[in-house]
Amino acid sequence: MIVPVSAVFAAVLGLLLLVLSGMVSRFRLKYKKSLGVTDDRDFQAAVRAQANLVEYAPLGLVMLAIAELNGVPSGLVYWTGMAFVVGRVLHAFGMINGRGGPHIARMAGILLTWIGILAIAVLLLWNVFQVYG
């Protein structure tokens, strides 16, 4: 039982998490703040970008892996996963560059993330009904 499509997406999101964690760590060292944040908007945005990834990535990756294991066609898993991962990258980029405020990449990222989760949920339900009637 291997899940190569999900594994690639997990690797990309893992790398994104390392980048975001590095940004947060830099701010924590700069302000000598091991817990919480300061009034620095860039610090706050970095913390939220990292936290938001941690909030969404596990569920998305688990859903993708289950779909892949259950035999959902790999092309559907791939494109759904691509929407989800690109959404997470765009959200992080928009959050950082928009300093926590409105940013087109952040909004597009949110939309792609939600579309990805909705699509994989529908695919999982479709797969279960196909297999078990």
Side-chain angles (χ1 to χ4, degrees):
M1 295 191 319
I2 60 170
V3 286
V5 174
S6 301
V8 170
F9 293 136
V12 171
L13 290 176
L15 293 172
L16 177 60
L17 181 59
L18 287 175
V19 169
L20 295 174
S21 296
M23 295 176 79
V24 170
S25 294
R26 240 181 319 134
F27 281 113
R28 293 203 180 285
L29 290 170
K30 176 181 177 181
Y31 292 111
K32 296 179 174 59
K33 189 96 171 152
S34 61
L35 184 63
V37 294
T38 65
D39 290 337
D40 184 329
R41 242 182 115 109
D42 293 327
F43 186 10
Q44 294 171 3
V47 167
R48 280 309 309 148
Q50 179 198 39
N52 197 276
L53 177 64
V54 170
E55 291 163 3
Y56 278 96
L59 177 64
L61 290 171
V62 166
M63 292 173 75
L64 287 167
I66 291 170
E68 199 168 1
L69 286 169
N70 280 2
V72 171
S74 60
L76 294 175
V77 174
Y78 173 81
W79 287 110
T80 303
M82 186 61 77
F84 179 75
V85 170
V86 169
R88 293 292 73 218
V89 171
L90 285 173
H91 179 271
F93 178 85
M95 178 68 90
I96 299 298
N97 289 294
R99 303 183 70 216
H103 191 282
I104 189 71
R106 181 179 177 198
M107 292 175 202
I110 292 167
L111 186 61
L112 279 173
T113 298
W114 290 352
I115 288 170
I117 289 174
L118 176 62
I120 202 69
V122 168
L123 287 171
L124 285 168
L125 290 171
W126 169 77
N127 178 258
V128 167
F129 288 121
Q130 289 293 315
V131 173
Y132 296 105

